[in-house]
Amino acid sequence: MKDFRLYAITGEEFHKGKSLVEVMEAAIIGGVDIIQLRDKKSSKKDVLHKALLLKDLTKKYNIPLIINDHIDVAIAVDADGIHLGQDDLPLQMARKIVGKEKIIGISTHEIEEAREAQLQGADYIGVGPIFATKSKEDVVDPVTTKYIEEVKKEISIPFVAIGGIKLHNVDQVLNAGATRICAISEIVGSADITKTCQLFIEKINERVSTR
Ligand code: 3NM
């Protein structure tokens, strides 16, 4: 897959009245280069509707659209990939359904899960939650930046740090060796989404170019 730096996941509970497309477009303009539709509450029909809107948007800006969990929706709208948690369909089964061309991302919370995801052919892994987060239900305790260091040492597929990452603490995440950042609330809940993303990108570029 094409590399990315800033990954935004939808979180409509933070949108403050703005539309899904408005929020995600502001993020893309600010430098987000991959987006994920994550909706654990809506009906399948509503998720499909949102996926179609985001498919148009990501096509316009030529960036990948990833769908969380709903493999059928991902196929129906010809999204670029899917993202799965540890309790979703196992990677090998998902791969049978979506084929080799689609991106598959897996959430991992410990090194054993990261190893397994790599072994099974994940295209990237999520590494988190680095800090405490209220954006995900039943989330495990923060894994801290130590987990980034472990992954950095052992895992060769791309990884993206996630969970409680804000402009004020992203330096810690980058210092630990992450080169890709993912956020929900700090991006979609921001009063100035484009500016927030630009500041994230500046910080990522500062660190990553010196590595
Ligand atoms: N997955 P925020 S943490 C969706 O650790 C998600 O796998 C996580 O939201 C993981 O940026 C998380 O608002 C929530 O903390 C991220």
Side-chain angles (χ1 to χ4, degrees), residues 12 20-21 37-56 65 67-79:
E12 287 176 274
L20 179 63
V21 169
L37 173 60
R38 182 173 184 275
D39 185 335
K40 302 282 186 190
K41 297 197 172 120
S42 302
S43 66
K44 183 77 81 180
K45 193 175 160 191
D46 287 351
V47 174
L48 177 67
H49 176 67
K50 291 172 193 184
L52 284 167
L53 293 174
L54 293 181
K55 174 69 190 181
D56 281 347
L65 171 65
I67 307 288
N68 188 295
D69 199 12
H70 295 270
I71 299 187
D72 44 4
V73 171
I75 294 171
V77 305
D78 193 24

Side-chain angles (χ1 to χ4, degrees), residues 12-163:
E12 287 176 274
E13 64 274 32
F14 301 106
H15 282 190
K16 296 175 181 151
K18 293 184 205 133
S19 79
L20 179 63
V21 169
E22 203 182 337
V23 164
M24 297 321 271
E25 186 159 26
I28 296 169
I29 291 168
V32 159
D33 48 7
I34 178 167
I35 70 175
Q36 181 187 131
L37 173 60
R38 182 173 184 275
D39 185 335
K40 302 282 186 190
K41 297 197 172 120
S42 302
S43 66
K44 183 77 81 180
K45 193 175 160 191
D46 287 351
V47 174
L48 177 67
H49 176 67
K50 291 172 193 184
L52 284 167
L53 293 174
L54 293 181
K55 174 69 190 181
D56 281 347
L57 181 70
T58 51
K59 205 169 160 192
K60 178 173 161 195
Y61 289 95
N62 194 25
I63 65 164
L65 171 65
I66 306 294
I67 307 288
N68 188 295
D69 199 12
H70 295 270
I71 299 187
D72 44 4
V73 171
I75 294 171
V77 305
D78 193 24
D80 301 278
I82 53 170
H83 187 93
L84 302 171
Q86 289 294 322
D87 295 329
D88 294 331
L89 204 62
L91 209 162
Q92 276 179 320
M93 296 295 146
R95 184 64 81 192
K96 274 192 190 174
I97 300 170
V98 300
K100 287 200 184 114
E101 301 307 314
K102 300 277 188 214
I103 297 164
I104 301 185
I106 304 287
S107 296
T108 74
H109 316 294
E110 55 185 27
I111 195 71
E112 194 46 54
E113 291 172 354
R115 287 186 195 124
E116 188 60 22
Q118 175 164 280
L119 194 70
Q120 302 293 332
D123 295 287
Y124 75 89
I125 52 170
V127 162
I130 305 302
F131 305 111
T133 176
K134 292 195 176 108
S135 308
K136 185 177 188 175
E137 284 166 21
D138 305 325
V139 77
V140 300
D141 287 343
V143 293
T144 79
T145 53
K146 280 214 182 81
Y147 182 37
I148 294 175
E149 289 163 16
E150 279 182 282
V151 168
K152 188 91 187 163
K153 260 190 227 140
E154 247 202 71
I155 303 296
S156 54
I157 58 173
F159 73 91
V160 59
I162 183 168

